[in-house]
Amino acid sequence: MRTSALKGLLSLILLLSVSSALAETTEYIVCSGGPALRKWEDLRQAEMQHDRWWGNFVRTARVRMQELQKSQPQGTIITWLVYRDAYLRRASEDHDPLTAHCESVRDTYKINLVWLRTGDDVINYINRGGGQFSRRSAKISGFEYFGHSNKHCFLFDYSSDIYACSTAWLHEADLHKLNGSAFTRKAYCQSWGCHTGESMSKAWKKATGVPMVGAIGKTDYSFMHLRNWTVALGDGSRWTR
């Protein structure tokens, strides 16, 4: 009887330990939009060209994920959502296997890479997780976006498919589909795109209960090679939440 009781007690302790570990597991999501095609940027006046390097939204995300691996609690899952089609188009133009470069980041830094094609892909991943990372086992402790945007939406493929237009986006009108319970109470969210703080940040907080830092005005990726990875603010711009 004592042996059975002891085994039962040990099983209960093990179960509670596993449950506690699962409850404490969190996921930090970094999302990258895609680059413009050079042929579209070439149509702009030289001083207006701002998206010529294919890696603007990859390098910033990569260095940020390196920081997160050092700063987040041990065991935090880091997931990278990437708009794949834009990198396939630009790869054909540059004759460079850009999606393979993204996969190299995944393999080198041991992060979870998920390709996306639509705004609903982002919403569904936030709500449900993916693979072994379901929302029951891993709440979201952070979300950051690197890419083109305007005051109302993330523009995943701006000037990638059509000049000065986007055919893939996440609009603030669709944020009501997000499940706020997917996030931890103190989750950190930020958009490193232009103008998000002028409208979309408010819609994000209304939908999720979590503030999103965003820019009022433009952001600038031009000098990140001089500042490690930092996305700068344009003249007269500021961050808000």
Side-chain angles (χ1 to χ4, degrees):
M1 290 292 291
R2 290 182 179 179
T3 301
S4 299
L6 181 59
K7 287 182 178 179
L9 179 60
L10 290 174
S11 297
L12 179 60
I13 292 172
L14 179 61
L15 179 61
L16 290 173
S17 298
V18 171
S19 299
S20 177
L22 288 174
E24 293 173 357
T25 300
T26 58
E27 182 174 14
Y28 205 109
I29 300 174
V30 175
C31 181
S32 291
L37 292 184
R38 284 180 176 268
K39 69 177 183 179
W40 297 142
E41 284 296 291
D42 287 343
L43 297 178
R44 301 175 184 270
Q45 295 179 351
E47 63 271 18
M48 296 295 292
Q49 296 180 13
H50 65 288
D51 188 18
R52 294 193 63 82
W53 186 42
W54 76 269
N56 280 333
F57 309 134
V58 167
R59 186 175 188 274
T60 45
R62 188 263 295 169
V63 180
R64 179 61 175 139
M65 289 187 290
Q66 286 180 266
E67 288 187 347
L68 292 170
Q69 287 180 324
K70 297 175 182 177
S71 64
Q72 295 301 298
Q74 186 174 2
T76 299
I77 301 160
I78 297 179
T79 294
W80 189 24
L81 305 182
V82 181
Y83 181 73
R84 186 169 185 259
D85 288 357
Y87 293 93
L88 290 174
R89 296 184 192 114
R90 184 62 181 267
S92 296
E93 190 177 57
D94 288 1
H95 305 291
D96 192 6
L98 303 184
T99 53
H101 296 336
C102 294
E103 290 167 352
S104 177
V105 172
R106 173 198 64 195
D107 297 340
T108 300
Y109 298 100
K110 311 303 181 186
I111 52 93
N112 180 37
L113 172 62
V114 177
W115 298 113
L116 68 93
R117 299 195 70 185
T118 68
D120 280 342
D121 289 343
V122 178
I123 290 172
N124 290 336
Y125 191 86
I126 287 174
N127 288 346
R128 303 171 189 170
Q132 59 182 309
F133 309 129
S134 72
R135 285 298 151 250
R136 290 185 177 182
S137 60
K139 297 289 187 181
I140 299 168
S141 58
F143 177 93
E144 298 187 34
Y145 173 72
F146 296 89
H148 290 291
S149 60
N150 61 30
K151 65 188 293 185
H152 298 298
C153 57
F154 298 152
L155 304 170
F156 299 131
D157 71 332
Y158 184 76
S159 281
S160 171
D161 190 14
I162 301 173
Y163 172 65
C165 293
S166 183
T167 60
W169 59 80
L170 176 59
H171 197 280
E172 64 180 24
D174 295 318
L175 296 181
H176 68 91
K177 301 176 186 176
L178 289 173
N179 185 350
S181 66
F183 296 85
T184 64
R185 291 178 58 189
K186 296 183 179 181
Y188 179 82
C189 297
Q190 180 161 5
S191 167
W192 298 91
C194 299
H195 303 294
T196 305
E198 296 169 23
S199 181
M200 193 173 180
S201 289
K202 296 176 183 177
W204 182 277
K205 184 175 182 180
K206 180 179 180 181
T208 66
V210 179
M212 172 177 277
V213 177
I216 293 180
K218 294 184 177 182
T219 57
D220 187 353
Y221 288 70
S222 301
F223 304 103
M224 60 185 176
H225 61 292
L226 300 175
R227 302 172 181 170
N228 193 19
W229 74 273
T230 305
V231 178
L233 287 169
D235 292 341
S237 300
R238 61 182 175 88
W239 297 112
T240 185
R241 55 190 302 171

